[in-house]
Amino acid sequence: MILFAIKLILAHLLGDFLLQPAHWVAHKEVKKVKSKYLYYHVGVHAICLLVILQFHYWLGIFIIILSHYLTDLVKLYLQKNNNKRWLFFADQALHLLILAWVVRIYFPYTIDMNLLYSAPVLLFLCFIVFITNVTGVIMQVIISRWRLSNWLPNEQPENEGLQKAGMYIGILERLFVFGFIVLQHWEGVGFLIAAKSIFRFGDLSKAKDRKLTEYILIGTLLSFGIAIACGVAYNYLSMHLG
């Protein structure tokens, strides 16, 4: 079953990404159902499936190709500039669900939903929610006593940079730190701290402002400190679950 699933995923990755040039995508977005590249794309998928599955599992191939065509077609007509991102992920999720269904046709399996409510899974979800969303709120409350706009140099406006980039960077760095500690790779935490220090060095050297330096250090140390504490706490609690 696992080998069959891997083959289906490999065919999907080849057909939907590696063997789909950017100009095919652009042409499909403009011409939609009239685009010849839509049918080229479906044909490439069919060839990948046939080769990887060695011309077996014809029903599964038919289901995947037909569903892929219909899903892509619906996506093309629903797609607007403001919904491209979530449509992309919805499209990929639907493709993967179809692959899972095809696997189940040939290799029946059951999914025990009770596993989602088990103590280890719930504990893990609690920590993930905490270090992503809750920690961001806590940090905002702690550092709100210092208003950056009051003393930030004029040549560095407060809104400079990508929108919400700082929030996403913080979430990603905490997830990495948490993951390194859970996997018992503390050296990864040190590497991450060093990498962020290098990237931040240019900003701090240009700013030549002690307050800005201290502000960034407080935020960074808070973020890393909370993530480290969460990683240690998770390892301890997971070992002592009844």
Side-chain angles (χ1 to χ4, degrees), residues 146-150 152-161 215:
W146 301 290
R147 292 188 58 83
L148 189 62
S149 58
N150 291 341
L152 193 66
N154 293 329
E155 65 270 15
Q156 291 186 333
E158 188 176 5
N159 62 353
E160 183 181 4
Y215 183 88

Side-chain angles (χ1 to χ4, degrees), residues 84-104:
K84 278 188 175 183
R85 283 175 297 183
W86 73 262
L87 267 182
F88 168 80
F89 290 109
D91 172 73
Q92 293 300 317
L94 187 55
H95 289 323
L96 292 177
L97 285 174
I98 295 296
L99 297 185
W101 178 41
V102 171
V103 172
R104 195 173 188 275

Side-chain angles (χ1 to χ4, degrees), residues 171-196:
I171 290 174
L172 289 172
E173 74 182 19
R174 289 192 295 274
L175 286 174
F176 277 118
V177 170
F178 180 76
F180 285 139
I181 294 175
V182 169
L183 296 174
Q184 299 295 328
H185 285 288
W186 285 85
E187 67 277 8
V189 179
F191 172 79
L192 195 60
I193 294 175
K196 185 171 183 180

Side-chain angles (χ1 to χ4, degrees), residues 19-219:
L19 300 178
Q20 182 175 207
H23 70 273
W24 285 21
V25 177
H27 194 274
K28 289 192 300 180
E29 290 177 352
V30 175
K31 296 295 184 179
K32 296 180 172 53
V33 72
K34 296 181 180 180
S35 173
K36 62 182 180 180
Y37 294 117
L38 174 61
Y39 304 96
Y40 290 177
H41 175 59
V42 173
V44 167
H45 259 289
I47 294 172
C48 289
L49 284 167
L50 289 170
V51 172
I52 292 176
L53 296 179
Q54 297 176 304
F55 296 87
H56 295 88
Y57 308 103
W58 289 96
L59 176 61
I61 293 174
F62 174 77
I63 292 173
I64 293 171
I65 295 303
L66 179 61
S67 65
H68 199 102
Y69 169 74
L70 294 176
T71 302
D72 279 12
L73 194 60
V74 171
K75 175 190 172 186
L76 289 173
Y77 280 96
L78 291 179
Q79 188 167 274
K80 307 293 181 185
N81 288 332
N82 61 348
N83 65 5
K84 278 188 175 183
R85 283 175 297 183
W86 73 262
L87 267 182
F88 168 80
F89 290 109
D91 172 73
Q92 293 300 317
L94 187 55
H95 289 323
L96 292 177
L97 285 174
I98 295 296
L99 297 185
W101 178 41
V102 171
V103 172
R104 195 173 188 275
I105 291 175
Y106 293 100
F107 303 92
Y109 60 87
T110 57
I111 300 176
D112 187 2
M113 298 302 294
N114 291 326
L115 290 176
L116 296 177
Y117 298 97
S118 63
V121 173
L122 293 177
L123 178 66
F124 182 76
L125 290 177
C126 281
F127 275 95
I128 291 298
V129 172
F130 184 84
I131 64 176
T132 53
N133 184 267
V134 179
T135 299
V137 176
I138 293 174
M139 290 180 58
Q140 285 182 353
V141 172
I142 292 175
I143 65 177
S144 63
R145 61 175 298 182
W146 301 290
R147 292 188 58 83
L148 189 62
S149 58
N150 291 341
W151 39 261
L152 193 66
N154 293 329
E155 65 270 15
Q156 291 186 333
E158 188 176 5
N159 62 353
E160 183 181 4
L162 300 176
Q163 185 178 13
K164 296 185 178 180
M167 179 187 71
Y168 293 124
I169 291 172
I171 290 174
L172 289 172
E173 74 182 19
R174 289 192 295 274
L175 286 174
F176 277 118
V177 170
F178 180 76
F180 285 139
I181 294 175
V182 169
L183 296 174
Q184 299 295 328
H185 285 288
W186 285 85
E187 67 277 8
V189 179
F191 172 79
L192 195 60
I193 294 175
K196 185 171 183 180
S197 300
I198 293 172
F199 285 121
R200 278 296 192 182
F201 177 77
D203 296 335
L204 297 177
S205 61
K206 291 178 182 177
K208 297 179 181 179
D209 191 296
R210 180 176 177 179
K211 291 181 180 179
L212 177 60
T213 303
E214 292 173 345
Y215 183 88
I216 292 175
L217 284 175
I218 290 172

